[in-house]
Amino acid sequence: MPRTITLVRHGRSAHVHTGWLDFDGFLRWRESYELAPIADDDLPPRELCTLAENAAIVASNAPRAITSAQRLAPDREVTISPLLRELELPPPRMFNLRLPPLVWALAFLLRGLRPSGEEAQRAAEAAKLLDTLAREKGSVVAATHGAVRPAIARELVRLGWAHDGGRRGTHHWSAWTLTMPAA
């Protein structure tokens, strides 16, 4: 049976902000976002919970990833690793414009989400961790984040893993599955 690693983007954050932010306000928003779990009413899709039933469960050390993993597999042990945390990307300077958080997020995307050398190394270490767990357990479900997930997936491909061909969405609870044929 092939081994699988499923990289799940965490659920919707409990941190909600309305209104516009300048650069300093965006930094404060991001700090609050990092400290928040997921929203109380945000539940994972049933098919993800089914996928997690027999898998090792891993999460980044961000509260929103930990609570996402706990909702995927209640009453199961979650391995927490800072290797899976979101990329540390410097925010773009927007000339002190006041913008909604979504526009700040789009500015990150337009600038590109390529990790620095140190962050790329962390993604490689995360891929090795997941590869090792999959060799031991057969399947792994990892609750992680939107920007680090592609970096980890690239490293898994370098290790011989292959995308399953499914759609690789970016929304909350979206899941990317990679497989390794049985040896």
Side-chain angles (χ1 to χ4, degrees), residues 96-140:
N96 282 328
L97 292 174
R98 293 181 61 79
L99 303 166
L102 179 60
V103 175
W104 281 100
L106 290 173
F108 272 101
L109 291 174
L110 292 174
R111 190 187 63 191
L113 297 176
R114 284 290 191 201
S116 67
E118 187 176 306
E119 292 289 271
Q121 179 60 37
R122 179 167 58 85
E125 291 174 25
K128 288 176 188 170
L129 168 70
L130 297 174
D131 178 68
T132 299
L133 284 170
R135 289 176 192 278
E136 294 170 2
K137 306 291 185 181
S139 63
V140 175

mmCIF file of all heavy atoms in Angstrom, residues 96-140:
data_model
loop_
_atom_site.group_PDB
_atom_site.id
_atom_site.type_symbol
_atom_site.label_atom_id
_atom_site.label_comp_id
_atom_site.label_asym_id
_atom_site.label_seq_id
_atom_site.Cartn_x
_atom_site.Cartn_y
_atom_site.Cartn_z
ATOM 1 N N ASN A 96 3.013 53.479 3.847
ATOM 2 C CA ASN A 96 2.067 53.851 4.899
ATOM 3 C C ASN A 96 0.633 54.020 4.412
ATOM 4 O O ASN A 96 -0.143 54.773 4.987
ATOM 5 C CB ASN A 96 2.539 55.094 5.657
ATOM 6 C CG ASN A 96 3.620 54.718 6.650
ATOM 7 O OD1 ASN A 96 3.611 53.616 7.183
ATOM 8 N ND2 ASN A 96 4.540 55.619 6.883
ATOM 9 N N LEU A 97 0.302 53.313 3.351
ATOM 10 C CA LEU A 97 -1.091 53.274 2.925
ATOM 11 C C LEU A 97 -1.905 52.511 3.952
ATOM 12 O O LEU A 97 -1.416 51.587 4.598
ATOM 13 C CB LEU A 97 -1.216 52.573 1.571
ATOM 14 C CG LEU A 97 -0.628 53.276 0.363
ATOM 15 C CD1 LEU A 97 -0.731 52.348 -0.845
ATOM 16 C CD2 LEU A 97 -1.340 54.583 0.098
ATOM 17 N N ARG A 98 -3.146 52.866 4.069
ATOM 18 C CA ARG A 98 -4.075 52.109 4.912
ATOM 19 C C ARG A 98 -4.854 51.194 3.972
ATOM 20 O O ARG A 98 -5.497 51.674 3.038
ATOM 21 C CB ARG A 98 -4.990 53.055 5.682
ATOM 22 C CG ARG A 98 -4.212 53.880 6.714
ATOM 23 C CD ARG A 98 -5.127 54.804 7.498
ATOM 24 N NE ARG A 98 -6.149 54.096 8.255
ATOM 25 C CZ ARG A 98 -5.956 53.478 9.422
ATOM 26 N NH1 ARG A 98 -4.766 53.450 9.973
ATOM 27 N NH2 ARG A 98 -6.948 52.882 10.046
ATOM 28 N N LEU A 99 -4.776 49.892 4.247
ATOM 29 C CA LEU A 99 -5.380 48.894 3.373
ATOM 30 C C LEU A 99 -6.084 47.836 4.217
ATOM 31 O O LEU A 99 -5.678 47.562 5.348
ATOM 32 C CB LEU A 99 -4.295 48.212 2.527
ATOM 33 C CG LEU A 99 -3.432 49.133 1.668
ATOM 34 C CD1 LEU A 99 -2.211 48.376 1.174
ATOM 35 C CD2 LEU A 99 -4.246 49.663 0.511
ATOM 36 N N PRO A 100 -7.092 47.168 3.656
ATOM 37 C CA PRO A 100 -7.708 46.031 4.365
ATOM 38 C C PRO A 100 -6.718 44.863 4.439
ATOM 39 O O PRO A 100 -5.837 44.738 3.581
ATOM 40 C CB PRO A 100 -8.914 45.667 3.499
ATOM 41 C CG PRO A 100 -9.008 46.687 2.441
ATOM 42 C CD PRO A 100 -7.746 47.467 2.400
ATOM 43 N N PRO A 101 -6.850 43.990 5.442
ATOM 44 C CA PRO A 101 -5.939 42.838 5.560
ATOM 45 C C PRO A 101 -5.860 41.995 4.281
ATOM 46 O O PRO A 101 -4.778 41.503 3.938
ATOM 47 C CB PRO A 101 -6.523 42.035 6.723
ATOM 48 C CG PRO A 101 -7.225 43.045 7.560
ATOM 49 C CD PRO A 101 -7.782 44.051 6.576
ATOM 50 N N LEU A 102 -6.966 41.841 3.569
ATOM 51 C CA LEU A 102 -6.939 41.049 2.337
ATOM 52 C C LEU A 102 -6.004 41.664 1.297
ATOM 53 O O LEU A 102 -5.285 40.954 0.590
ATOM 54 C CB LEU A 102 -8.357 40.905 1.760
ATOM 55 C CG LEU A 102 -8.463 40.117 0.462
ATOM 56 C CD1 LEU A 102 -7.966 38.690 0.642
ATOM 57 C CD2 LEU A 102 -9.883 40.118 -0.057
ATOM 58 N N VAL A 103 -5.970 42.977 1.207
ATOM 59 C CA VAL A 103 -5.077 43.635 0.251
ATOM 60 C C VAL A 103 -3.620 43.446 0.675
ATOM 61 O O VAL A 103 -2.742 43.244 -0.164
ATOM 62 C CB VAL A 103 -5.444 45.123 0.081
ATOM 63 C CG1 VAL A 103 -4.445 45.835 -0.824
ATOM 64 C CG2 VAL A 103 -6.857 45.251 -0.482
ATOM 65 N N TRP A 104 -3.359 43.482 1.988
ATOM 66 C CA TRP A 104 -2.010 43.174 2.462
ATOM 67 C C TRP A 104 -1.618 41.766 2.033
ATOM 68 O O TRP A 104 -0.499 41.534 1.573
ATOM 69 C CB TRP A 104 -1.929 43.307 3.978
ATOM 70 C CG TRP A 104 -1.817 44.725 4.448
ATOM 71 C CD1 TRP A 104 -2.814 45.514 4.940
ATOM 72 C CD2 TRP A 104 -0.634 45.534 4.457
ATOM 73 N NE1 TRP A 104 -2.330 46.752 5.252
ATOM 74 C CE2 TRP A 104 -0.990 46.797 4.970
ATOM 75 C CE3 TRP A 104 0.686 45.308 4.088
ATOM 76 C CZ2 TRP A 104 -0.067 47.825 5.124
ATOM 77 C CZ3 TRP A 104 1.600 46.331 4.245
ATOM 78 C CH2 TRP A 104 1.226 47.572 4.756
ATOM 79 N N ALA A 105 -2.529 40.819 2.176
ATOM 80 C CA ALA A 105 -2.246 39.430 1.771
ATOM 81 C C ALA A 105 -1.962 39.347 0.280
ATOM 82 O O ALA A 105 -1.039 38.643 -0.149
ATOM 83 C CB ALA A 105 -3.411 38.527 2.154
ATOM 84 N N LEU A 106 -2.726 40.067 -0.526
ATOM 85 C CA LEU A 106 -2.486 40.074 -1.974
ATOM 86 C C LEU A 106 -1.129 40.685 -2.304
ATOM 87 O O LEU A 106 -0.456 40.241 -3.238
ATOM 88 C CB LEU A 106 -3.607 40.825 -2.692
ATOM 89 C CG LEU A 106 -4.971 40.134 -2.699
ATOM 90 C CD1 LEU A 106 -6.028 41.052 -3.288
ATOM 91 C CD2 LEU A 106 -4.906 38.823 -3.452
ATOM 92 N N ALA A 107 -0.712 41.688 -1.544
ATOM 93 C CA ALA A 107 0.604 42.295 -1.756
ATOM 94 C C ALA A 107 1.711 41.264 -1.527
ATOM 95 O O ALA A 107 2.703 41.242 -2.258
ATOM 96 C CB ALA A 107 0.785 43.502 -0.849
ATOM 97 N N PHE A 108 1.539 40.398 -0.529
ATOM 98 C CA PHE A 108 2.498 39.321 -0.308
ATOM 99 C C PHE A 108 2.556 38.417 -1.532
ATOM 100 O O PHE A 108 3.625 38.039 -1.992
ATOM 101 C CB PHE A 108 2.107 38.475 0.915
ATOM 102 C CG PHE A 108 2.638 38.976 2.213
ATOM 103 C CD1 PHE A 108 1.825 39.682 3.067
ATOM 104 C CD2 PHE A 108 3.937 38.717 2.588
ATOM 105 C CE1 PHE A 108 2.292 40.129 4.286
ATOM 106 C CE2 PHE A 108 4.429 39.153 3.803
ATOM 107 C CZ PHE A 108 3.604 39.870 4.654
ATOM 108 N N LEU A 109 1.383 38.049 -2.045
ATOM 109 C CA LEU A 109 1.329 37.146 -3.195
ATOM 110 C C LEU A 109 1.963 37.767 -4.430
ATOM 111 O O LEU A 109 2.685 37.101 -5.166
ATOM 112 C CB LEU A 109 -0.120 36.752 -3.488
ATOM 113 C CG LEU A 109 -0.779 35.853 -2.455
ATOM 114 C CD1 LEU A 109 -2.245 35.652 -2.784
ATOM 115 C CD2 LEU A 109 -0.062 34.519 -2.356
ATOM 116 N N LEU A 110 1.689 39.031 -4.659
ATOM 117 C CA LEU A 110 2.257 39.704 -5.828
ATOM 118 C C LEU A 110 3.776 39.817 -5.734
ATOM 119 O O LEU A 110 4.472 39.760 -6.736
ATOM 120 C CB LEU A 110 1.627 41.086 -6.004
ATOM 121 C CG LEU A 110 0.154 41.081 -6.404
ATOM 122 C CD1 LEU A 110 -0.407 42.501 -6.401
ATOM 123 C CD2 LEU A 110 -0.029 40.434 -7.767
ATOM 124 N N ARG A 111 4.271 39.991 -4.521
ATOM 125 C CA ARG A 111 5.714 40.090 -4.319
ATOM 126 C C ARG A 111 6.372 38.732 -4.454
ATOM 127 O O ARG A 111 7.543 38.609 -4.777
ATOM 128 C CB ARG A 111 6.010 40.682 -2.947
ATOM 129 C CG ARG A 111 7.477 41.032 -2.786
ATOM 130 C CD ARG A 111 7.783 41.442 -1.409
ATOM 131 N NE ARG A 111 7.513 40.303 -0.540
ATOM 132 C CZ ARG A 111 7.484 40.362 0.751
ATOM 133 N NH1 ARG A 111 7.663 41.491 1.346
ATOM 134 N NH2 ARG A 111 7.253 39.300 1.474
ATOM 135 N N GLY A 112 5.623 37.687 -4.227
ATOM 136 C CA GLY A 112 6.163 36.331 -4.305
ATOM 137 C C GLY A 112 6.382 35.762 -2.924
ATOM 138 O O GLY A 112 6.732 36.482 -1.997
ATOM 139 N N LEU A 113 6.164 34.478 -2.785
ATOM 140 C CA LEU A 113 6.256 33.819 -1.486
ATOM 141 C C LEU A 113 7.447 32.871 -1.415
ATOM 142 O O LEU A 113 7.392 31.856 -0.743
ATOM 143 C CB LEU A 113 4.962 33.061 -1.192
ATOM 144 C CG LEU A 113 3.710 33.907 -1.070
ATOM 145 C CD1 LEU A 113 2.487 33.018 -0.873
ATOM 146 C CD2 LEU A 113 3.828 34.891 0.082
ATOM 147 N N ARG A 114 8.514 33.184 -2.104
ATOM 148 C CA ARG A 114 9.695 32.323 -2.057
ATOM 149 C C ARG A 114 10.397 32.486 -0.716
ATOM 150 O O ARG A 114 10.695 33.589 -0.296
ATOM 151 C CB ARG A 114 10.660 32.671 -3.186
ATOM 152 C CG ARG A 114 10.205 32.170 -4.519
ATOM 153 C CD ARG A 114 10.322 30.679 -4.541
ATOM 154 N NE ARG A 114 10.146 30.200 -5.899
ATOM 155 C CZ ARG A 114 9.812 28.970 -6.166
ATOM 156 N NH1 ARG A 114 9.594 28.125 -5.196
ATOM 157 N NH2 ARG A 114 9.687 28.577 -7.394
ATOM 158 N N PRO A 115 10.681 31.371 -0.062
ATOM 159 C CA PRO A 115 11.354 31.459 1.233
ATOM 160 C C PRO A 115 12.824 31.851 1.086
ATOM 161 O O PRO A 115 13.453 31.573 0.070
ATOM 162 C CB PRO A 115 11.213 30.044 1.785
ATOM 163 C CG PRO A 115 11.004 29.170 0.602
ATOM 164 C CD PRO A 115 10.325 30.014 -0.437
ATOM 165 N N SER A 116 13.354 32.485 2.140
ATOM 166 C CA SER A 116 14.781 32.784 2.210
ATOM 167 C C SER A 116 15.536 31.464 2.332
ATOM 168 O O SER A 116 14.935 30.399 2.510
ATOM 169 C CB SER A 116 15.058 33.665 3.429
ATOM 170 O OG SER A 116 14.804 32.920 4.623
ATOM 171 N N GLY A 117 16.858 31.525 2.287
ATOM 172 C CA GLY A 117 17.667 30.316 2.424
ATOM 173 C C GLY A 117 17.395 29.575 3.714
ATOM 174 O O GLY A 117 17.251 28.347 3.732
ATOM 175 N N GLU A 118 17.290 30.324 4.818
ATOM 176 C CA GLU A 118 17.016 29.708 6.122
ATOM 177 C C GLU A 118 15.620 29.077 6.155
ATOM 178 O O GLU A 118 15.437 27.970 6.670
ATOM 179 C CB GLU A 118 17.132 30.774 7.208
ATOM 180 C CG GLU A 118 17.035 30.247 8.613
ATOM 181 C CD GLU A 118 17.263 31.350 9.642
ATOM 182 O OE1 GLU A 118 18.303 32.030 9.563
ATOM 183 O OE2 GLU A 118 16.379 31.512 10.510
ATOM 184 N N GLU A 119 14.653 29.774 5.587
ATOM 185 C CA GLU A 119 13.285 29.248 5.560
ATOM 186 C C GLU A 119 13.181 28.041 4.627
ATOM 187 O O GLU A 119 12.464 27.086 4.911
ATOM 188 C CB GLU A 119 12.304 30.341 5.134
ATOM 189 C CG GLU A 119 12.159 31.458 6.156
ATOM 190 C CD GLU A 119 11.407 31.002 7.384
ATOM 191 O OE1 GLU A 119 10.178 31.102 7.407
ATOM 192 O OE2 GLU A 119 12.061 30.517 8.324
ATOM 193 N N ALA A 120 13.906 28.062 3.505
ATOM 194 C CA ALA A 120 13.921 26.913 2.593
ATOM 195 C C ALA A 120 14.536 25.703 3.291
ATOM 196 O O ALA A 120 14.060 24.567 3.116
ATOM 197 C CB ALA A 120 14.686 27.253 1.318
ATOM 198 N N GLN A 121 15.566 25.931 4.101
ATOM 199 C CA GLN A 121 16.181 24.842 4.864
ATOM 200 C C GLN A 121 15.184 24.261 5.865
ATOM 201 O O GLN A 121 15.096 23.048 6.036
ATOM 202 C CB GLN A 121 17.444 25.325 5.580
ATOM 203 C CG GLN A 121 18.131 24.262 6.402
ATOM 204 C CD GLN A 121 18.583 23.064 5.574
ATOM 205 O OE1 GLN A 121 19.012 23.206 4.437
ATOM 206 N NE2 GLN A 121 18.455 21.878 6.138
ATOM 207 N N ARG A 122 14.417 25.129 6.502
ATOM 208 C CA ARG A 122 13.398 24.653 7.451
ATOM 209 C C ARG A 122 12.349 23.812 6.722
ATOM 210 O O ARG A 122 11.917 22.764 7.219
ATOM 211 C CB ARG A 122 12.732 25.826 8.177
ATOM 212 C CG ARG A 122 11.656 25.373 9.150
ATOM 213 C CD ARG A 122 11.214 26.458 10.090
ATOM 214 N NE ARG A 122 10.697 27.642 9.471
ATOM 215 C CZ ARG A 122 9.433 27.812 9.066
ATOM 216 N NH1 ARG A 122 8.548 26.833 9.197
ATOM 217 N NH2 ARG A 122 9.044 28.950 8.532
ATOM 218 N N ALA A 123 11.937 24.242 5.516
ATOM 219 C CA ALA A 123 10.970 23.461 4.729
ATOM 220 C C ALA A 123 11.545 22.096 4.375
ATOM 221 O O ALA A 123 10.833 21.081 4.411
ATOM 222 C CB ALA A 123 10.567 24.228 3.474
ATOM 223 N N ALA A 124 12.840 22.047 4.058
ATOM 224 C CA ALA A 124 13.488 20.764 3.756
ATOM 225 C C ALA A 124 13.491 19.859 4.995
ATOM 226 O O ALA A 124 13.238 18.655 4.894
ATOM 227 C CB ALA A 124 14.911 20.995 3.256
ATOM 228 N N GLU A 125 13.750 20.436 6.160
ATOM 229 C CA GLU A 125 13.728 19.655 7.403
ATOM 230 C C GLU A 125 12.311 19.176 7.719
ATOM 231 O O GLU A 125 12.116 18.045 8.196
ATOM 232 C CB GLU A 125 14.286 20.480 8.555
ATOM 233 C CG GLU A 125 15.776 20.738 8.439
ATOM 234 C CD GLU A 125 16.304 21.685 9.514
ATOM 235 O OE1 GLU A 125 15.676 21.778 10.593
ATOM 236 O OE2 GLU A 125 17.337 22.317 9.263
ATOM 237 N N ALA A 126 11.311 20.017 7.439
ATOM 238 C CA ALA A 126 9.918 19.608 7.650
ATOM 239 C C ALA A 126 9.573 18.431 6.746
ATOM 240 O O ALA A 126 8.919 17.473 7.179
ATOM 241 C CB ALA A 126 8.974 20.783 7.390
ATOM 242 N N ALA A 127 9.999 18.484 5.488
ATOM 243 C CA ALA A 127 9.739 17.386 4.556
ATOM 244 C C ALA A 127 10.387 16.093 5.048
ATOM 245 O O ALA A 127 9.772 15.021 4.983
ATOM 246 C CB ALA A 127 10.245 17.757 3.158
ATOM 247 N N LYS A 128 11.598 16.184 5.554
ATOM 248 C CA LYS A 128 12.279 14.986 6.075
ATOM 249 C C LYS A 128 11.535 14.416 7.280
ATOM 250 O O LYS A 128 11.397 13.196 7.408
ATOM 251 C CB LYS A 128 13.722 15.312 6.441
ATOM 252 C CG LYS A 128 14.606 15.538 5.231
ATOM 253 C CD LYS A 128 16.009 15.947 5.650
ATOM 254 C CE LYS A 128 16.813 16.364 4.441
ATOM 255 N NZ LYS A 128 18.091 16.997 4.807
ATOM 256 N N LEU A 129 11.051 15.300 8.151
ATOM 257 C CA LEU A 129 10.260 14.844 9.304
ATOM 258 C C LEU A 129 9.016 14.090 8.833
ATOM 259 O O LEU A 129 8.721 12.988 9.316
ATOM 260 C CB LEU A 129 9.850 16.034 10.171
ATOM 261 C CG LEU A 129 8.799 15.752 11.249
ATOM 262 C CD1 LEU A 129 9.367 14.889 12.354
ATOM 263 C CD2 LEU A 129 8.242 17.053 11.800
ATOM 264 N N LEU A 130 8.279 14.673 7.894
ATOM 265 C CA LEU A 130 7.057 14.040 7.398
ATOM 266 C C LEU A 130 7.365 12.732 6.679
ATOM 267 O O LEU A 130 6.633 11.740 6.824
ATOM 268 C CB LEU A 130 6.292 15.000 6.494
ATOM 269 C CG LEU A 130 5.788 16.277 7.184
ATOM 270 C CD1 LEU A 130 5.176 17.226 6.157
ATOM 271 C CD2 LEU A 130 4.809 15.960 8.290
ATOM 272 N N ASP A 131 8.444 12.703 5.914
ATOM 273 C CA ASP A 131 8.866 11.483 5.220
ATOM 274 C C ASP A 131 9.163 10.379 6.232
ATOM 275 O O ASP A 131 8.723 9.237 6.071
ATOM 276 C CB ASP A 131 10.101 11.798 4.367
ATOM 277 C CG ASP A 131 10.630 10.574 3.646
ATOM 278 O OD1 ASP A 131 9.945 10.065 2.738
ATOM 279 O OD2 ASP A 131 11.743 10.117 4.002
ATOM 280 N N THR A 132 9.880 10.717 7.294
ATOM 281 C CA THR A 132 10.204 9.732 8.334
ATOM 282 C C THR A 132 8.937 9.214 9.005
ATOM 283 O O THR A 132 8.780 7.998 9.196
ATOM 284 C CB THR A 132 11.153 10.354 9.382
ATOM 285 O OG1 THR A 132 12.367 10.737 8.720
ATOM 286 C CG2 THR A 132 11.458 9.381 10.507
ATOM 287 N N LEU A 133 8.021 10.118 9.357
ATOM 288 C CA LEU A 133 6.767 9.688 9.988
ATOM 289 C C LEU A 133 5.963 8.783 9.056
ATOM 290 O O LEU A 133 5.371 7.792 9.502
ATOM 291 C CB LEU A 133 5.929 10.900 10.396
ATOM 292 C CG LEU A 133 6.397 11.639 11.635
ATOM 293 C CD1 LEU A 133 5.627 12.956 11.801
ATOM 294 C CD2 LEU A 133 6.222 10.776 12.870
ATOM 295 N N ALA A 134 5.928 9.119 7.771
ATOM 296 C CA ALA A 134 5.175 8.291 6.815
ATOM 297 C C ALA A 134 5.804 6.911 6.662
ATOM 298 O O ALA A 134 5.094 5.919 6.487
ATOM 299 C CB ALA A 134 5.093 8.997 5.462
ATOM 300 N N ARG A 135 7.119 6.841 6.731
ATOM 301 C CA ARG A 135 7.792 5.523 6.670
ATOM 302 C C ARG A 135 7.418 4.676 7.878
ATOM 303 O O ARG A 135 7.270 3.462 7.772
ATOM 304 C CB ARG A 135 9.302 5.692 6.589
ATOM 305 C CG ARG A 135 9.779 6.225 5.263
ATOM 306 C CD ARG A 135 11.293 6.467 5.268
ATOM 307 N NE ARG A 135 11.703 7.237 4.118
ATOM 308 C CZ ARG A 135 11.915 6.752 2.910
ATOM 309 N NH1 ARG A 135 11.739 5.453 2.699
ATOM 310 N NH2 ARG A 135 12.274 7.524 1.920
ATOM 311 N N GLU A 136 7.251 5.342 9.038
ATOM 312 C CA GLU A 136 6.901 4.624 10.270
ATOM 313 C C GLU A 136 5.415 4.288 10.350
ATOM 314 O O GLU A 136 5.037 3.211 10.782
ATOM 315 C CB GLU A 136 7.269 5.475 11.492
ATOM 316 C CG GLU A 136 8.745 5.702 11.678
ATOM 317 C CD GLU A 136 9.056 6.739 12.758
ATOM 318 O OE1 GLU A 136 8.108 7.261 13.398
ATOM 319 O OE2 GLU A 136 10.243 7.029 12.956
ATOM 320 N N LYS A 137 4.553 5.232 9.963
ATOM 321 C CA LYS A 137 3.110 5.112 10.195
ATOM 322 C C LYS A 137 2.298 4.780 8.948
ATOM 323 O O LYS A 137 1.135 4.426 9.060
ATOM 324 C CB LYS A 137 2.564 6.418 10.792
ATOM 325 C CG LYS A 137 3.277 6.877 12.038
ATOM 326 C CD LYS A 137 3.006 5.976 13.217
ATOM 327 C CE LYS A 137 3.647 6.557 14.465
ATOM 328 N NZ LYS A 137 3.454 5.759 15.625
ATOM 329 N N GLY A 138 2.851 4.992 7.769
ATOM 330 C CA GLY A 138 2.108 4.728 6.541
ATOM 331 C C GLY A 138 1.451 5.964 5.973
ATOM 332 O O GLY A 138 1.564 6.252 4.801
ATOM 333 N N SER A 139 0.755 6.711 6.822
ATOM 334 C CA SER A 139 0.145 7.953 6.332
ATOM 335 C C SER A 139 0.245 9.029 7.414
ATOM 336 O O SER A 139 0.235 8.728 8.608
ATOM 337 C CB SER A 139 -1.309 7.746 5.907
ATOM 338 O OG SER A 139 -2.099 7.354 6.999
ATOM 339 N N VAL A 140 0.340 10.266 6.942
ATOM 340 C CA VAL A 140 0.495 11.424 7.814
ATOM 341 C C VAL A 140 -0.461 12.506 7.334
ATOM 342 O O VAL A 140 -0.597 12.738 6.131
ATOM 343 C CB VAL A 140 1.942 11.974 7.765
ATOM 344 C CG1 VAL A 140 2.079 13.256 8.578
ATOM 345 C CG2 VAL A 140 2.935 10.927 8.223
#
